[in-house]
Amino acid sequence: MQQAAARFADYLSRNRLRMTRERRVILEQVLAVGKHFDVDDLLVHMRNGGLRASRATLYRTLAHLVDSGMVHKVEMAKGQARYEPMLGRHHHDHLVCLKCGEIIEFESPEVERIQEEVCRRKRFTMTGHTHQIRGYCRRCSSR
Amino acid sequence: MQQAAARFADYLSRNRLRMTRERRVILEQVLAVGKHFDVDDLLVHMRNGGLRASRATLYRTLAHLVDSGMVHKVEMAKGQARYEPMLGRHHHDHLVCLKCGEIIEFESPEVERIQEEVCRRKRFTMTGHTHQIRGYCRRCSSR
DNA sequence: CCCATAATTGAGACTGAGTTTCAGTCTACG
DNA sequence: CGTAGACTGAAACTCAGTCTCAATTATGGG
Ligand SMILES: [Zn+2]
Ligand SMILES: [Zn+2]
Ligand SMILES: [Zn+2]
Ligand SMILES: [Zn+2]
């Protein structure tokens, strides 16, 4: 947390942005909710903790956190974005259960390697990717 | 086209749905615009051909075409959906240029195989997936 | 061929996620 | 301190897509 705050402060100052109370609180709460939350989860979590920030500020701050690389944005179908802190975590992709909403992570160096290879062959400069598998998790597919 | 119409008719009757003038026209226009179009492209293309259907009907019919397997829906970031006819085409995924919007296709049996393997390991029943690489195409990254 | 029934259509209202606007507030830096 | 310029929140707005409902039409049986 100390480190995270320092890293965010650094990102902000490098971009001539300011460290405000709202941004401090949002960073702290983002780390507290943990994985794969959406803006409403965050809002509710903050209210329960007696904290608040407007939706506009949430979106704005999340964009900065994403830009700083401290948080990843996971685009779900139909434009429902989720976020997850990436501090000290490795890149991974997701399996999404269509029934219960569970999100399972997976990592495949092999797939990542093939992606690079494809980009090389197509002379394409990759800046990011989304690899999402939809279906039913163990529990939901057994019933 | 004949075949496509027959296949769609078959899908419709198997689902107690009706073959209407609108649906016939939309299917024909979908095949005519070809790859990776969005609903507005389709609407404009239809107007230029002197044809028309309401937005609601377009969305409804595209959903049926997707459901029948004749068209695939490609979810882009921020919920901008694109569609592409899949008649006689093989499954593939996409590279998307963030600058000019070009969409390049790629196919990797290897990646598909790894996906299946991941699902098996996680006891996950896959119904679909999205694998999209974002970045800059050859032309856009050279300037 | 005609009818009854149920599916379909289009206009426009509506939704939900996210963005923009703008006046008042606050941070940072000298 | 003082100030330039960044930040904030409320509310208006956007955009893609969905829903509602009255009028229209396909279908299949008689
Ligand atoms: Zn990946
Ligand atoms: Zn994750
Ligand atoms: Zn390009
Ligand atoms: Zn394609």
Side-chain angles (χ1 to χ4, degrees), chain B residues 17-18 20 22-23 52-54 57 60:
Chain B
L17 299 173
R18 290 167 183 182
T20 63
E22 286 78 4
R23 288 178 180 165
R52 54 154 304 152
S54 69
T57 298
R60 289 187 282 230

Side-chain angles (χ1 to χ4, degrees), chain A residues 91 93 112 129:
Chain A
H91 167 78
D93 293 287
E112 304 292 330
H129 67 270

Side-chain angles (χ1 to χ4, degrees), chain B:
Chain B
M1 179 65 223
Q2 276 322 302
Q3 282 199 34
R7 187 165 159 199
F8 193 33
D10 186 52
Y11 164 82
L12 292 172
S13 79
R14 268 184 292 105
N15 290 277
R16 275 185 228 77
L17 299 173
R18 290 167 183 182
M19 176 55 92
T20 63
R21 189 170 40 73
E22 286 78 4
R23 288 178 180 165
R24 243 186 299 269
V25 167
I26 291 168
L27 170 59
E28 171 200 316
Q29 296 299 302
V30 161
L31 298 179
V33 279
K35 306 195 198 178
H36 309 134
F37 60 89
D38 65 19
V39 171
D40 269 336
D41 294 335
L42 187 56
L43 216 47
V44 168
H45 189 270
M46 288 178 68
R47 287 211 179 109
N48 291 347
L51 300 164
R52 54 154 304 152
S54 69
R55 242 159 231 286
T57 298
L58 273 183
Y59 281 109
R60 289 187 282 230
T61 302
L62 283 167
H64 286 309
L65 287 168
V66 167
D67 192 48
S68 75
M70 300 174 70
V71 168
H72 273 206
K73 183 174 181 177
V74 186
E75 309 266 7
M76 313 295 280
K78 280 206 200 171
Q80 288 127 37
R82 300 193 147 257
Y83 298 85
E84 62 179 335
M86 287 298 282
L87 292 150
R89 305 196 62 211
H90 215 274
H91 167 78
H92 58 262
D93 293 287
H94 300 103
L95 305 173
V96 182
C97 179
L98 298 173
K99 182 132 189 221
C100 71
E102 192 186 354
I103 296 180
I104 300 164
E105 310 192 330
F106 74 94
E107 227 179 298
S108 168
E110 190 62 2
V111 169
E112 304 292 328
R113 194 189 57 66
I114 296 167
Q115 277 178 171
E116 309 260 318
E117 173 54 27
V118 165
C119 292
R120 197 169 319 118
R121 207 160 49 232
K122 307 270 188 192
R123 304 268 189 294
F124 190 90
T125 311
M126 168 163 61
T127 60
H129 68 268
T130 300
H131 190 177
Q132 211 174 281
I133 299 178
R134 288 178 300 282
Y136 299 97
C137 70
R138 189 219 294 254
R139 202 155 3 124
C140 293
S141 46
S142 70
R143 334 166 324 140

Side-chain angles (χ1 to χ4, degrees), chain A residues 36 84 89 92 94 105:
Chain A
H36 308 135
E84 61 180 335
R89 306 195 62 212
H92 59 261
H94 300 103
E105 309 191 332

Side-chain angles (χ1 to χ4, degrees), chain A residues 17-18 20 22-23 52-54 57 60:
Chain A
L17 300 173
R18 289 165 184 184
T20 62
E22 285 78 5
R23 287 179 181 167
R52 53 154 304 152
S54 69
T57 298
R60 288 188 281 229

